[in-house]
Amino acid sequence: MEVQIKHYENKLAFEMDPSDLFDALNNGEKVVVIDARKTFGYEAEHIPTAINIPHREMTAESTQHLDREVLYVTYCDGIGCNASTRGALNMAKLGFKVKELLGGIEWWKFDGYATEGTNGVKAGLKIECAC
């Protein structure tokens, strides 16, 4: 039982689903969302408030301006893409606290949340900070 419990605790320590991310953003938690895809993917459609740092470009220099006291959540297209995994690995190697978004932007939209960009879905639930 203990091994099983540890396994699931570890999963939750390093992954988050769209609902958890949406709640964290709406509650004003110290979370920064990173779209780890190439820039053209981000420009076409991304999660509101997300910044774009393609995983191939994550270096000490390209991330030196980032706050080390917040949690970073990486995402990509979805289960057929591993940019979020690569981005999370890169950010962890650079010393950042990071989690990976399960299902990427596809599951974000599947859960009914809005996106931004040239192909963004405006009709979904929007992030509204009360601060």
Side-chain angles (χ1 to χ4, degrees):
M1 256 330 186
E2 287 182 35
V3 172
Q4 194 173 13
I5 290 168
K6 191 65 178 164
H7 168 75
Y8 292 114
E9 287 175 341
N10 285 337
K11 281 185 64 119
L12 292 172
F14 303 116
E15 299 172 343
M16 135 180 318
D17 69 16
S19 176
D20 293 334
L21 178 57
F22 185 80
D23 289 345
L25 293 170
N26 267 327
N27 293 333
E29 294 178 27
K30 290 184 170 187
V31 175
V32 174
V33 184
I34 297 179
D35 187 321
R37 302 174 299 158
K38 292 180 179 178
T39 302
F40 72 86
Y42 173 83
E43 289 173 351
E45 186 173 36
H46 58 270
I47 292 172
T49 77
I51 61 173
N52 181 225
I53 308 175
H55 71 88
R56 289 179 175 90
E57 299 173 18
M58 290 177 180
T59 64
E61 295 77 27
S62 69
T63 60
Q64 68 185 356
H65 66 287
L66 298 176
D67 184 349
R68 293 190 177 270
E69 299 304 313
V70 302
L71 172 67
Y72 291 90
V73 178
T74 61
Y75 76 90
C76 58
D77 287 332
I79 61 172
C81 178
N82 67 7
S84 63
T85 304
R86 292 175 183 273
L89 176 60
N90 289 343
M91 293 296 287
K93 285 181 177 179
L94 291 166
F96 293 95
K97 295 179 284 189
V98 64
K99 287 188 176 187
E100 184 177 11
L101 180 66
L102 294 171
I105 196 166
E106 289 305 313
W107 284 9
W108 175 266
K109 292 187 302 185
F110 180 78
D111 282 353
Y113 303 119
T115 59
E116 297 176 338
T118 56
N119 298 334
V121 178
K122 311 288 188 225
L125 296 173
K126 299 192 180 352
I127 298 165
E128 299 179 48
C129 182
C131 50

